[in-house]
Structure formats: structure tokens, C-alpha cells
Amino acid sequence: MTKLEQIYEGKAKKVFRTDDPERFIVEYKDDATAFNGQKKGTILGKGAVNNRMTNLLMQMLEQHGVPTHFVQELNDRETVVKKVSIVPLEVIIRNISAGHFAQNYGVEEGIVFDEPTIEFSYKNDDLGDPLINSYHARALKLATREEIDTIVRLSFQINDLLKEFFLAAGIRLVDFKLEFGRTSDGTIILADEISPDTCRLWDKDTNEKLDKDRFRRDLGHVEDAYQEVMRRLLEDKA
Ligand code: UDP
């Protein structure tokens, strides 16, 4: 497969066209942003961790029947994925209170919910990714009722699988963000990434933060945290 021209550059990844019309190549960067792009920085080695971790998790999910965009890891930073058009919804699943949930509803971080929550935001940087519900999403024609039903069902299934997988590596899955895409035949599949950029991950015993909150909140040892998560996930596999 030949890598052709770049068609998109986001905050953390670049996407390239290939000579196969149904395949893209994604390239993960070390660039980090937070607070809708207001805070910028570099996390050395992040691109490689996020690439390898996303691929490991997507392969695990595929084995359990979740359709994903993963095709083939090319090297440390590059992966072949199925071509999709991204559904402009960010799906957030929460198992434990943190971040905006704690802030918006005036509760402390660390409350373990009886069951997971789901919320959507409209993926639109100019508007600051505002929260919306499924009726708004349909009114805006971002997705059909059937597509939203599929996205909700897959998101909770993914949560169950990821929670168990992380726990086996000594990590609590606090919350995370997913994005889905439509293939050319209209099938909804998991796309984007699953990494310490998009998940809150706390050590099972100490609740030490092992994710992008170390960058957002200037807690130090950001690089170490990303490497530590990857090390634990691979150790668990060995
Ligand atoms: N998240 C993300 N991208 C976003 C917003 C949130 O990956 O644009 C992830 C974030 O890392 C966390 C979860 O979604 O794991 C919930 O984030 P929250 O709504 O609490 O917002 P935050 O405090 O991260 O801005």
C-alpha cells in the first residue's frame, strides 16, 4: 500500500490517502492540546504509545465482536485503517465521577456510579464541542435514530470490555471518549483512538492519574504515565 497525500491534520493525528480507496493511513503525533486548544505542548513518545495502545485495544474489541476501523499497524506511529466518514458526535462514557461531570454537577471526583453514564457532544471546534442529546443530534441530522441506537449499544459494550481489560492491568477506567464512523456501505464502526489522551485511567490501588490529566493539570511525569499504561497492558498480555 502506498501512502499518498495528507487529507487532514488534527490536534494529535494526521490522516493520509492511500492507493486503496477504502483505506487511510493515520499517523500519531506527540503534540498535545487541552481546553479546546488553549493549552499546547509536546508529550515525548505519546504518538507511539497512543498508536500501539489504540491498536491493541481495537484488536481486543474486534475479537469480542465490536467492529472497528483497525486494519494493520505499519510502524510505531502509523496504522492502516478503514476509510470512514466520522459521525460528528463525541460519545463520553463515565464509570466514576471526574472532569466535567464533577465540575458541572458540583460533586467530588472518584464517586463510583452504580451504572455507567453516556453523553454526546457535537464535534465542532468553532462551537467548543457543545453537549447535545440524541434528539438534538437527530434534529441536526448528525445521525439517524438507528445509527444512534447502534452507537449507544456499542459504546456500553466497549465500556464493559475495556473496564475488564484495564482492571486486569491494575487500572480503573474512569471515563473515556469514543468516535464512530460510517464505512462506504453505511455500517457504523468504532474509529479514532483509545489512549491516555481520550481516557481517564487511575491506578487501581493508589488512584494515581495515568492519563492526560497529568498534562492538563501540570502534575508532572506526563511521559512516564503514558509509558506506564502501555507497559502494564503489554505485561498483562505476556
Ligand atoms: N475527552 C476527549 N476529548 C474531548 C473531551 C473529552 O478525549 O474533546 C475525554 C477525556 O479525556 C475524558 C472523558 O472524555 O476521559 C470525559 O471528559 P470530560 O467531559 O470530563 O471533559 P474534560 O474534563 O476532559 O475536558
Side-chain angles (χ1 to χ4, degrees):
M1 177 168 309
T2 314
K3 187 174 174 183
L4 300 175
E5 82 275 9
Q6 181 178 311
I7 51 166
Y8 170 80
E9 176 159 12
K11 293 170 198 142
K13 295 187 287 297
K14 296 176 182 176
V15 181
F16 296 84
R17 212 162 61 78
T18 71
D19 55 354
D20 181 339
E22 293 300 326
R23 298 285 181 263
F24 285 156
I25 290 175
V26 292
E27 184 185 316
Y28 287 74
K29 305 190 287 182
D30 283 351
D31 299 350
T33 62
F35 312 117
N36 204 20
Q38 287 172 56
K39 183 181 169 87
K40 288 194 172 72
T42 302
I43 302 174
L44 274 181
K46 172 172 88 80
V49 168
N50 289 5
N51 181 39
R52 293 167 62 212
M53 182 166 154
T54 297
N55 294 342
L56 177 76
L57 295 174
M58 288 211 182
Q59 288 173 87
M60 182 278 287
L61 293 171
E62 285 275 359
Q63 281 166 16
H64 290 87
V66 176
T68 79
H69 75 169
F70 175 78
V71 177
Q72 189 197 354
E73 188 168 294
L74 292 177
N75 54 52
D76 254 14
R77 282 175 192 276
E78 292 176 309
T79 294
V80 180
V81 297
K82 293 174 194 155
K83 178 184 165 183
V84 293
S85 66
I86 293 286
V87 177
L89 287 173
E90 298 193 342
V91 184
I92 292 170
I93 298 279
R94 302 178 190 271
N95 297 303
I96 299 175
S97 66
H100 272 98
F101 185 95
Q103 226 175 294
N104 291 345
Y105 306 130
V107 295
E108 76 242 48
E109 295 205 318
I111 301 166
V112 181
F113 302 145
D114 290 341
E115 45 184 308
T117 68
I118 189 165
E119 69 211 45
F120 302 107
S121 53
Y122 176 21
K123 198 172 146 62
N124 184 320
D125 279 340
D126 294 338
L127 300 176
D129 297 344
L131 270 178
I132 60 171
N133 66 34
S134 58
Y135 293 86
H136 299 149
R138 278 161 51 199
L140 291 167
K141 301 218 184 308
L142 306 181
T144 65
R145 182 199 292 259
E146 290 71 26
E147 286 176 333
I148 294 172
D149 287 349
T150 302
I151 286 171
V152 170
R153 179 178 53 77
L154 287 174
S155 297
F156 283 124
Q157 186 188 354
I158 291 165
N159 182 48
D160 288 342
L161 292 165
L162 288 181
K163 237 171 48 177
E164 189 184 319
F165 193 79
F166 278 114
L167 206 57
I171 294 169
R172 301 166 83 193
L173 177 60
V174 174
D175 58 29
F176 58 100
K177 186 261 300 178
L178 299 174
E179 293 182 25
F180 291 84
R182 294 180 192 98
T183 60
S184 50
D185 70 1
T187 309
I188 293 285
I189 66 176
L190 180 66
D192 196 48
E193 64 180 283
I194 311 172
S195 72
D197 273 8
T198 63
C199 302
R200 283 198 171 88
L201 305 167
W202 294 356
D203 178 86
K204 175 172 75 71
D205 299 318
T206 66
N207 282 336
E208 186 192 358
K209 296 183 196 306
L210 299 170
D211 56 60
K212 196 167 141 187
D213 270 350
R214 301 204 72 85
F215 170 77
R216 292 190 191 98
R217 303 180 190 184
D218 294 319
L219 299 176
H221 300 287
V222 187
E223 281 87 0
D224 296 345
Y226 278 69
Q227 300 292 342
E228 173 66 12
V229 171
M230 196 61 216
R231 191 189 63 73
R232 289 194 197 183
L233 291 179
L234 290 176
E235 197 169 72
D236 185 44
K237 293 288 95 196

